[in-house]
């Protein structure tokens, strides 16, 4: 921690960073719960301070700041831990009778205030419904290569259960360790992989959800043209239409052939042109992350001021040499160089471990009183240059005004034929009492500039409450009406995740 | 025609086939129109017999039978030909005031009674809204490789307008010549290509639709995780929620590298195993059509009783040898043989031309008093053997009982990692006065067996009115409620395409 404090102080050019110690459990002072679970549910419900405090926040910057400072705002009155779907139904029934808001909770990794019990007025209390005990892979279909998985299963648990069958879900968001299948589905999670099948949306054969109006289950199919997709309505519904309890998911054989390369570009613009060419060539690299020079220096140890493209191919079926050869050729056509050549081992090891460590580092930076925030979007290629330029200028200016300085860097997380998904990282000095206000100011500046330049308010972080203001500008007004109508049918009392995605 | 009559009579083992001559326009006797367009719309509206008759039916078997026999049931009272979006709005406004049903009409190629004015009681009349004059490519974005296209543009017109830019939409349903972008979007059209990006769904960046409640337009994005996708609600909505007027579509560079092969298998089962392996290897062939022995003999001239796999790869960027080599290796591992080797020209020419000619042949067969029908589905691999076996047995039996004989054959149109989309073709002798009743009996038998064995009622033919009965069994009941709620918001008077997708 003190090494980090020194390194960050150096990077930000500030004299010192003071660490704020997170509170002990015994320091927390929660209001007494306003709800008492009925005897039939008592064994799966908790009103313990630990459980309530642990389910108060997700993992957004403001969540972590408040948690570190022992501010426990809007804790759930009760945390329910259903062990089977019928108990999810029973908990919702009880919430309905009790006039309580019901907040689905998967891994708790929301960075958009999507899992808190900040549900507004008019409720007798709030129940956090933790799906974590619905954590099993229930069926594996070796012929179709699919698995029926409970929604509360977390990333590592899913992989552990699929591994003996030779399978992987191959969905690795940065939150992998602390996020669940149900959360991925409810938020349209983006996986680690850069192209083609990477969004969780595309792995769904069917899903099952408990709504206050009953259970909704779609037919398990590899593809269908029968009306609008019921699954696509639930995907991205962020817990406001129902609680996803399980899904049949497409799984994959575990990759055995890998090829990766690190390509250097003199400028970010050269790298962008190369990535566009590779993304439009239908080669479908598993990894195609472009890091701007600052990020390449900070995350992957690139010392020569280059932008870095981490390029990877993998397959469970065949060597990927022809694929990589062509991608490298395209990269070279756009000025790329490969100081290390193509390697079959992971040339991207440094970057990968930085990627996995980043969320832990963020929490430490919060304790040091810094602003450490990321925001992400996607836009078509024709708008990227303007969006990128304006975001960098606007945020550098905002950091100067709000924090007296700081850094903003950019990388691509996903690449589509028609555009990239740029991901921006802010790091700035702050003061412990100003972090939240400064963060809110920066968040607003970032969201506005992204939206003004044709980006989406979120490519894979979800909407929650934090993005709702801008989502409302982006979402077609008539589609908002449809969402409200859908909610009115499935959740007539409006008790599911109030304030998320649509206003109350 | 007489050569066809002889060939089909031989194949079906019947003595002769009598040709029914389609009526002349002057033979048609339509009830007078019940509606008169207001003066402001008179110039874009027609009540001519030709226009009304031409917009009475789609292209289903029963449509063609009735047309051939001069039965013009439920003709539109008026056909509107809007030339710009504001005229679509004006026509809907007029329909609303006049109490008329409004039926969107693209290319008129619906095979599920999706474009007729069979709208039920309670309407002062029905207006067929033909989008055919909204047929332009409005914008081409050379950076993102995308184009803004009006919904009434037909397949060939789209390609003609994209070709000068070096682009193709590369969406070639069998109806390509006579179907429109708007129709493809409204019915979730499946393209000609077998794997990966082939459904029209996946080419949509954004779309724009006129609803009775106003215009709905989504933001143009390469990807997004901001709430449920508004586009995915309109995709497959079959004209009941709004009239799609234009969309930003992902286009592609025109392929320059092609490789194709014809692989023979001793049995259909061997071919199925090979296709499953190829489909799960992430090679993404553009063509991967498996024809059962009867279909291989009939459509591709295969004379040795083999099942035939038509395998193709294409790219605008790079030679596809490595891809094809691995796919052929997988096919050989499953007993496939390549009598002609791999060729860079189209080895599948015979099949391709049969595929393109088939719809014309179907219309001729109708005139000869035959039953000539196709139905299609998709199911996961684990269910395919039972579904295929039961469909073949059930339909052979049904053909015997209903028509005294006939043939049923199967091919795959699309292949997913987790299952195929099998497509069945029926050919049977009938009598001119019995065709419709016999067709209805066969259609019901086919739909029931497909649904009972885990298939979807339609993979790419849509629901319309013809499939609605079975779609209602497949669709989650709560999703039906959501669809109704969406319709109530977007089309409060329920005037858009009554009876399609949901009951009135």
């Amino acid at each position: 921690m003190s090494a980090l404090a020194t390194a960050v102080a150096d990077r930000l050019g500030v004299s010192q960073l003071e660490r704020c110690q997170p509170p002990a459990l015994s320091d927390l002072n929660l209001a007494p719960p306003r709800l008492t679970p009925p005897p039939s549910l008592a064994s799966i419900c908790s009103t313990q301070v630990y459980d309530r405090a642990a389910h108060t926040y997700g993992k957004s910057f403001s969540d972590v700041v408040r948690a570190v400072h022992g501010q426990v705002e809007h804790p759930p009155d009760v945390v329910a831990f259903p062990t089977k779907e019928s108990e999810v139904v029973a908990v919702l029934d009880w919430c309905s009778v009790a006039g309580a808001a019901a907040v689905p909770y998967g891994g708790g990794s929301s960075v958009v205030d999507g899992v808190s019990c900040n549900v507004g007025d008019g409720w007798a209390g709030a129940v956090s419904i933790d799906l974590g005990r619905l954590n099993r892979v229930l069926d594996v279909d070796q012929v179709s290569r699919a698995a029926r998985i409970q929604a509360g299963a977390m990333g590592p648990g899913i992989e552990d259960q699929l591994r003996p069958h030779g399978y992987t879900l191959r969905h690795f968001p940065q939150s992998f360790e602390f996020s669940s299948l149900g959360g991925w589905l409810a938020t349209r999670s983006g996986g680690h992989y850069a192209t083609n099948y990477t969004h969780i949306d595309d792995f769904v054969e069917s899903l099952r959800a408990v709504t206050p109006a009953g259970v909704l289950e779609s037919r398990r199919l590899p593809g269908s043209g029968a009306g609008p997709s019921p699954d696509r309505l639930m995907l991205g519904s962020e817990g406001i239409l129902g609680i996803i309890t399980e899904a049949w998911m497409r799984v994959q054989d575990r990759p055995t052939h890998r090829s990766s390369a690190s390509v250097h570009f003199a400028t970010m613009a050269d790298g962008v042109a190369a990535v566009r060419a590779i993304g439009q060539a239908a080669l479908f690299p598993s990894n195609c992350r472009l890091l701007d020079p600052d990020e390449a220096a900070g995350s992957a140890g690139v010392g020569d001021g280059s932008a870095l493209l981490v390029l990877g191919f993998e397959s469970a079926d065949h060597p990927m040499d022809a694929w990589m050869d062509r991608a490298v050729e395209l990269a070279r056509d756009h000025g790329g160089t490969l100081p290390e050549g193509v390697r079959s081992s992971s040339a991207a090891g440094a970057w990968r471990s930085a990627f996995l460590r980043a969320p832990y580092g963020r929490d430490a930076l919060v304790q040091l009183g810094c602003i450490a925030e990321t925001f992400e979007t996607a836009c078509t290629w024709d708008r990227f240059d303007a969006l990128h330029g304006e975001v960098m200028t606007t945020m550098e200016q905002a950091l100067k005004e709000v924090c007296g300085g700081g850094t903003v860097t950019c990388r691509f997380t996903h690449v589509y034929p028609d555009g990239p998904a740029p991901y921006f990282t802010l790091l700035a000095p702050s003061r412990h009492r100003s972090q939240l206000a400064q963060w809110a100011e920066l968040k607003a500046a970032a969201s506005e500039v992204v939206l003004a330049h044709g980006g989406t308010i979120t490519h894979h972080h979800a909407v929650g409450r934090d993005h709702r203001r801008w989502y409302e500008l982006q979402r077609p007004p008539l589609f908002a009406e449809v969402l409200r109508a859908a909610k009115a049918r499935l959740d007539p009392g409006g008790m599911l995740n109030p304030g998320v995605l649509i206003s109350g």
Side-chain angles (χ1 to χ4, degrees), chain A:
Chain A
M1 199 69 165
S2 68
L4 180 74
T6 307
V8 174
D10 278 0
R11 176 157 171 206
L12 296 175
V14 294
S15 55
Q16 63 172 54
L17 294 166
E18 183 198 340
R19 180 176 181 191
C20 171
Q21 287 287 352
L25 185 61
S26 56
D27 297 337
L28 300 182
N29 188 13
L30 273 60
R34 296 166 293 173
L35 298 166
T36 308
S40 61
L41 296 175
S43 67
I44 59 159
C45 287
S46 168
T47 53
Q48 300 289 313
V49 170
Y50 174 79
D51 288 321
R52 293 177 65 207
H55 289 77
T56 296
Y57 292 125
K59 297 288 179 212
S60 75
F61 178 79
S62 86
D63 290 338
V64 177
V65 169
R66 287 176 295 170
V68 162
H69 289 91
Q71 287 171 244
V72 186
E73 293 166 12
H74 310 295
D77 296 284
V78 174
V79 182
F81 298 93
T83 65
K84 51 192 176 193
E85 190 183 273
S86 60
E87 292 176 349
V88 176
V89 174
V91 171
L92 283 190
D93 285 347
W94 165 53
C95 288
S96 177
V97 170
V103 177
Y105 188 100
S109 66
S110 171
V111 291
V112 293
D113 194 8
V115 296
S116 86
C117 289
N118 181 14
V119 296
D121 297 333
W123 303 101
V127 178
S128 179
I129 304 178
D130 184 322
L131 280 294
R133 293 186 191 171
L134 290 163
N135 61 3
R136 286 186 307 136
V137 173
L138 298 172
D139 277 309
V140 174
D141 172 353
Q142 299 268 1
V143 184
S144 313
R145 246 181 31 182
R148 186 160 68 100
I149 307 174
Q150 290 185 303
M154 311 279 276
I158 292 171
E159 293 299 321
D160 288 348
Q161 292 176 81
L162 291 177
R163 196 174 296 110
H165 301 275
Y167 287 147
T168 171
L169 182 58
R170 216 163 159 271
H171 186 74
F172 303 112
Q174 197 169 24
S175 60
F176 174 74
E177 196 177 347
F178 298 109
S179 55
S180 67
L181 176 66
W184 300 340
L185 295 170
T187 61
R188 301 178 64 191
S189 168
H192 164 72
Y193 298 104
T195 65
N196 210 19
Y197 298 127
T198 181
H199 277 277
I200 199 73
D201 312 38
D202 294 321
F203 297 121
V204 178
E205 283 186 344
S206 68
L207 53 74
R208 200 175 148 93
V210 172
T211 82
V215 171
L216 185 152
E217 180 172 21
S218 56
R219 178 168 279 225
R220 193 187 153 208
L221 292 168
S224 180
S229 164
D231 298 335
R232 298 276 182 174
L233 175 77
M234 299 306 292
L235 293 169
S237 62
E238 302 195 12
I240 72 163
L241 300 181
I243 299 181
I244 296 165
T245 53
E246 62 178 61
W248 268 103
M249 302 297 295
R250 297 175 185 117
V251 298
Q252 299 179 53
D253 295 321
R254 303 182 68 79
T256 47
H257 303 271
R258 288 194 177 82
S259 178
S260 66
S262 301
V263 189
H264 292 233
F265 293 92
T267 67
M268 181 70 172
D270 288 345
V272 169
V275 165
R276 184 168 79 90
I278 294 168
Q280 294 184 342
L283 292 162
F284 307 123
S286 51
N287 208 344
C288 189
R289 302 230 169 194
L290 179 67
L291 282 61
D292 74 7
D294 286 340
E295 199 143 323
S299 304
V302 173
D304 63 357
S306 300
L308 175 72
L309 173 62
V310 181
L311 199 53
F313 288 89
E314 51 182 57
S315 169
D317 182 72
H318 47 267
M320 297 301 289
D321 305 312
W323 286 247
M324 178 60 96
D325 289 351
R326 178 58 187 151
V328 165
E329 199 169 29
L330 285 165
R332 286 198 166 115
D333 286 349
H334 292 86
T337 58
L338 286 81
E340 303 171 84
V342 174
R343 294 198 268 164
S344 58
S345 69
S346 175
W351 174 79
R352 184 169 177 278
S353 90
F355 174 77
L356 295 175
R357 278 200 316 267
Y360 298 93
R362 199 274 314 260
D363 292 4
L365 290 166
V366 169
Q367 290 183 42
L368 294 172
C370 293
I371 302 274
E373 172 65 329
T374 63
F375 60 96
E376 37 83 70
T377 186
C379 66
T380 46
W381 286 114
D382 62 312
R383 309 202 69 159
F384 172 71
D385 287 348
L387 181 141
H388 176 247
E390 285 297 321
V391 167
M392 298 300 283
T393 308
T394 302
M395 295 317 295
E396 278 161 10
Q397 186 62 30
L399 286 168
K400 203 174 290 175
E401 283 170 17
V402 176
C403 302
T407 62
V408 50
T409 59
C410 177
R411 67 173 181 263
F412 288 173
T413 58
H414 301 79
V415 177
Y416 301 89
D418 50 334
Y423 190 100
F424 298 91
T425 301
L426 303 179
L427 180 60
S430 181
R431 290 172 311 283
H432 282 298
R433 293 299 145 202
S434 314
Q435 273 171 309
L436 284 186
Q438 292 183 336
W439 169 79
E441 218 172 319
L442 294 168
K443 181 82 191 162
S447 300
E448 266 149 42
V449 68
V450 159
L451 223 63
H453 287 84
T456 173
I457 189 60
T458 177
H459 173 266
H460 60 268
H461 280 176
V463 175
R465 292 182 187 82
D466 286 351
H467 284 148
R468 209 185 68 203
R469 176 151 50 116
W470 297 282
Y471 171 60
E472 284 169 357
L473 299 174
Q474 167 179 344
R475 180 181 57 192
L478 284 176
F479 186 68
E481 293 297 307
V482 169
L483 268 187
R484 283 178 202 283
K487 185 167 173 73
R489 291 287 169 110
L490 300 178
D491 177 23
M495 70 182 175
L496 280 171
N497 230 5
V500 166
L501 212 52
I502 56 178
S503 55

